[in-house]
Amino acid sequence: MNYISNVLFGVLLIVGIGFFVNNIQKLFRNIKLGKSIDRNDNKLQRLKNMAMIALGQSKMVKRPFSGFLHIIVYVGFVIINIEVLEIVVDGLLGTHRVFQPYLGDQFYGFLIAVFEVFAALVFIAVVLFWLRRNVSNIKRFLSKEMTGWPKRDGNLILYFEMVLMTLFIIMNATDTAFQEAGVGNVISQLVAPIFEGYTPETIHTIERTAWWIHIIGILVFLNYLFYSKHLHILLAFPNTYFGNLKPKGQFPNSEAVTKEVQLMMDPSADPYAMPEQGAEEEVPEKFGASDVADLSWVQLLNAYTCTECGRCTSACPASLTGKELSPRNIMMKTRDRLEEVGRNIDENKGTFKDDGKQLLNDYISPEELWACTSCNACVEECPVSIDPLSIIMDMRKYLVMEQSAAPQELNMMMTNVENNGAPWQYNQQDRLNWTNEA
């Protein structure tokens, strides 16, 4: 019987991890659809950012209450899952608490005690998170983009965590030998009396059932991450590492435009020169972005890393004044379009078949893009270094430079700059006429 159980556990483990690896490969493939961008400079600073922001949660605690709860869940979940190592070894070898003889009763008991305390704290924190999402009427959780699946996803992950923490405590509470030893059962000993009326065989069955459901739940949770906003558990680390290190107000120059300006400023250059015989004529690069493949791979990584917490939108002046723009929704729509492109590639055996859609207009409207004030509040607020503004500006660039579809006010300003050398509708010769009005 133990042999069958071990084989079953091994098959379950291989299937669960295999499915996870397959999904992660799809994730990397989708991210690589983005344009190349160099983010390998200043490695030391990047490592510091990753350590402070992703590992140290430094930006989360800017909002103390939710930040503190998040740290409890984050640290607790990481620490408790150390126990998974023992579960895996026990499941494969048919042993029970295999690490206890090697670590000694005192140290092993200390570890389990820490796990149990954190399990209780995580459960309490998750309940508080659920109340904040569903009872407290916090505005950033009530936006229109947080209905349907995003709302269900946010709650479903909380239910997952509640169940996993409960199973962990029940598993310990019904482990008769562990309870009799009295080492490390700081929380489970309070639950154990519930099962006193049961026979030893029934208690053992409950313990084994909780053990199996717990490990299955962990594997399901692991694979659920790919379909959930909780991918940030994995992606926050690379996302903070590859974040933009330049000053937030500094926008990148387009190489194609720079070349054109240099050509215009070079008095010896011939703008009408034909390419040399045999040389291929250079195809002009597309300006800006109209679909996900026009964005950089870092921007696509940003989209997958978005936690949907809404801190960006709650700080956005355009959103606060009732405009259509929501930085969170920009990231969610970018991710949705990228997922759609990924499914298209899967259905067409590795090749994208034009579906007549694009990120611009089909997902994100020009109205949203032009509502942005480019203040960088969303970038500053994001707890995992996501940059919605860069996507907005790239799509604006496409509207202006590829479609000449800027708002009338902006077109008028650009026309004035072209004709008058200034944003105003005054001839350069008339610019100082105001001095004669005294």
Side-chain angles (χ1 to χ4, degrees), residues 6 64 171 177 198 212-213 215 219 228 371 377 418:
N6 296 348
M171 187 174 71
Y198 296 96
W212 274 101
I213 296 176
I215 189 62
L219 291 174
S228 166
E418 182 179 358

Side-chain angles (χ1 to χ4, degrees), residues 46-114:
R46 293 186 180 282
L47 288 170
K48 286 180 179 178
N49 288 350
M50 184 174 68
M52 288 293 295
I53 300 171
L55 186 63
Q57 307 279 289
S58 61
K59 297 186 76 173
M60 282 298 303
V61 295
K62 287 185 176 180
R63 302 191 183 191
F65 182 71
S66 58
F68 177 68
L69 292 179
H70 190 274
I71 288 176
I72 289 176
V73 174
Y74 166 70
V75 174
F77 216 74
V78 170
I79 289 177
I80 293 166
N81 279 325
I82 296 174
E83 172 71 3
V84 176
L85 295 174
E86 185 177 53
I87 291 176
V88 169
V89 175
D90 283 343
L92 292 174
L93 301 182
T95 53
H96 183 68
R97 297 192 181 272
V98 67
F99 292 162
Q100 188 170 0
Y102 298 98
L103 298 177
D105 287 345
Q106 286 192 339
F107 185 61
Y108 183 82
F110 169 76
L111 287 178
I112 298 298
V114 171

Side-chain angles (χ1 to χ4, degrees), residues 63 132 138-143 146 309-311 328:
R63 302 191 183 191
R132 281 168 57 80
I138 297 173
K139 187 177 180 181
R140 61 192 170 103
F141 296 133
L142 302 175
S143 304
M146 295 308 293
C309 66
R311 293 188 180 204
R328 170 174 58 191

Side-chain angles (χ1 to χ4, degrees), residues 140 143-151 153 229 292 299 302-310 312-313 326-340 359 363-364 368 386 388 391:
R140 61 192 170 103
S143 304
K144 60 182 181 181
E145 68 260 26
M146 295 308 293
T147 58
W149 169 248
K151 181 177 177 65
D153 177 38
K229 73 188 183 78
V292 288
Q299 290 169 316
N302 280 184
Y304 272 125
T305 309
C306 179
T307 70
E308 297 177 15
C309 66
C312 53
T313 296
S326 165
R328 170 174 58 191
N329 210 13
I330 294 291
M331 303 314 300
M332 293 170 68
K333 289 176 178 178
T334 301
R335 182 178 61 209
D336 289 345
R337 172 57 180 164
L338 184 54
E339 282 288 287
E340 183 178 51
L359 184 60
Y363 283 83
I364 298 173
E368 293 173 80
I386 291 170
I391 295 177

Side-chain angles (χ1 to χ4, degrees), residues 91-380:
L92 292 174
L93 301 182
T95 53
H96 183 68
R97 297 192 181 272
V98 67
F99 292 162
Q100 188 170 0
Y102 298 98
L103 298 177
D105 287 345
Q106 286 192 339
F107 185 61
Y108 183 82
F110 169 76
L111 287 178
I112 298 298
V114 171
F115 297 160
E116 288 196 359
V117 169
F118 268 109
L121 291 174
V122 168
F123 187 91
I124 294 169
V126 167
V127 169
L128 291 174
F129 273 135
W130 187 90
L131 291 172
R132 281 168 57 80
R133 279 187 170 271
N134 299 280
V135 179
S136 298
N137 292 324
I138 297 173
K139 187 177 180 181
R140 61 192 170 103
F141 296 133
L142 302 175
S143 304
K144 60 182 181 181
E145 68 260 26
M146 295 308 293
T147 58
W149 169 248
K151 181 177 177 65
R152 291 195 300 273
D153 177 38
N155 284 330
L156 189 57
I157 207 77
L158 297 178
Y159 299 142
F160 252 119
E161 292 169 349
M162 289 180 196
V163 170
L164 289 176
M165 296 304 103
T166 301
L167 287 169
F168 176 72
I169 295 298
I170 291 175
M171 187 174 71
N172 285 349
T174 52
D175 187 339
T176 305
F178 175 72
Q179 290 299 320
E180 288 176 353
V183 180
N185 58 337
V186 290
I187 302 296
S188 59
Q189 66 178 333
L190 304 176
V191 179
I194 297 174
F195 305 98
E196 282 182 353
Y198 296 96
T199 64
E201 292 78 12
T202 302
I203 293 175
H204 178 70
T205 300
I206 294 173
E207 187 270 336
R208 286 290 85 192
T209 302
W211 186 93
W212 274 101
I213 296 176
H214 182 71
I215 189 62
I216 291 172
I218 288 173
L219 291 174
V220 171
F221 179 85
L222 180 67
N223 283 285
Y224 174 71
L225 292 180
F226 178 74
Y227 306 96
S228 166
K229 73 188 183 78
H230 285 75
L231 258 177
H232 74 269
I233 294 173
L234 305 176
L235 297 184
F237 292 90
N239 197 75
T240 51
Y241 179 85
F242 292 114
N244 186 13
L245 298 182
K246 294 179 180 178
K248 288 186 173 59
Q250 181 178 336
F251 292 107
N253 290 324
S254 169
E255 290 186 14
V257 174
T258 301
K259 288 180 181 178
E260 289 292 325
V261 172
Q262 289 173 343
L263 184 65
M264 292 169 61
M265 299 296 290
D266 184 359
S268 63
D270 181 4
Y272 302 104
M274 299 294 291
E276 295 181 8
Q277 189 174 4
E280 292 185 7
E281 187 174 354
E282 186 178 351
V283 178
E285 182 185 358
K286 179 179 178 179
F287 294 112
S290 62
D291 209 350
V292 288
D294 302 323
L295 298 171
S296 74
W297 65 266
V298 172
Q299 290 169 316
L300 301 185
L301 174 62
N302 280 184
Y304 272 125
T305 309
C306 179
T307 70
E308 297 177 15
C309 66
R311 293 188 180 204
C312 53
T313 296
S314 67
C316 174
S319 180
L320 291 172
T321 53
K323 302 291 193 305
E324 186 67 19
L325 175 65
S326 165
R328 170 174 58 191
N329 210 13
I330 294 291
M331 303 314 300
M332 293 170 68
K333 289 176 178 178
T334 301
R335 182 178 61 209
D336 289 345
R337 172 57 180 164
L338 184 54
E339 282 288 287
E340 183 178 51
V341 170
R343 289 192 296 271
N344 184 310
I345 293 173
D346 290 336
E347 292 167 4
N348 293 285
K349 299 179 180 180
T351 304
F352 177 72
K353 183 179 180 181
D354 187 10
D355 58 1
K357 297 181 182 179
Q358 59 179 5
L359 184 60
L360 180 63
N361 294 319
D362 291 304
Y363 283 83
I364 298 173
S365 68
E367 181 184 356
E368 293 173 80
L369 299 175
W370 292 116
C372 177
T373 66
S374 66
C375 68
N376 269 294
C378 56
V379 183
E380 181 64 33

